[in-house]
Every structure is written in structure tokens, then in C-alpha cells.
Amino acid sequence: MSNIELNKMIKIARRYNNKKRSYLLVNTLQAKHIPTRPQDINFGTRIGQIIREEDFPNAHLVIGFAETATAIAADVAGEASLPSFAE
């Protein structure tokens, strides 16, 4: 993911009223918790391209668990021409 800087993509957020998980990692490019410019929401496509072209030519399946991870997995799988499984 050479064109995406991880320190700009992931932020730590404080959860209030949650004693078990007081912090969470927020993907700033997901447009779920933080307003995001539409042209910046392409990380799922980019990850799919990396899987297809560069690092994982033998990948067979993309799995996304819980909430919006299922949408991300579908985006990655579509770009990588792989089946996806959403739970």
C-alpha cells in the first residue's frame, strides 16, 4: 500500500460508556466515523489490486467479519476477482 500512509489511515478513538473496549482503531478512509472526501475512499480497491497483482497471486478467498468489514471484503474481493464471504 505504497500510496497510503498508515499513520493517516488509522486513528485511535476513545469509546465512552464501554468498559470492556475503551478504545478502538478507526479507519479514516472508510467514511463511517469521520467525514471523508469521496475521492479518498479507494483503499478497498487498492488492497484488491495489490492482492491480484503483487503480493498474493495465489489468494483464493476474502473474508470480512462484522459490520462494515463485510463491505470492505466485498470491495477487495471484487477488485481481486475473488469470491468473498461475509459473516
Side-chain angles (χ1 to χ4, degrees):
M1 296 180 11
S2 57
N3 64 345
I4 299 173
E5 295 180 40
L6 288 180
N7 63 342
K8 292 182 180 178
M9 185 173 147
I10 304 294
K11 300 289 182 188
I12 296 176
R14 170 90 166 99
R15 288 183 186 215
Y16 294 96
N17 302 320
N18 189 327
K19 293 179 182 178
K20 292 184 178 182
R21 296 181 307 261
S22 59
Y23 293 91
L24 76 149
L25 298 176
V26 175
N27 183 332
T28 61
L29 301 179
Q30 192 174 355
K32 181 176 179 181
H33 303 288
I34 298 173
T36 306
R37 297 180 323 162
Q39 60 268 33
D40 292 339
I41 306 171
N42 68 351
F43 68 95
T45 301
R46 181 67 185 122
I47 292 169
Q49 291 170 347
I50 290 169
I51 289 172
R52 181 173 33 98
E53 298 169 0
E54 300 173 17
D55 297 325
F56 304 98
N58 296 320
H60 297 288
L61 176 68
V62 177
I63 300 173
F65 292 98
E67 299 176 9
T68 53
T70 56
I72 295 169
D75 191 23
V76 171
E79 186 62 36
S81 299
L82 296 170
S84 65
F85 177 76
E87 181 62 39

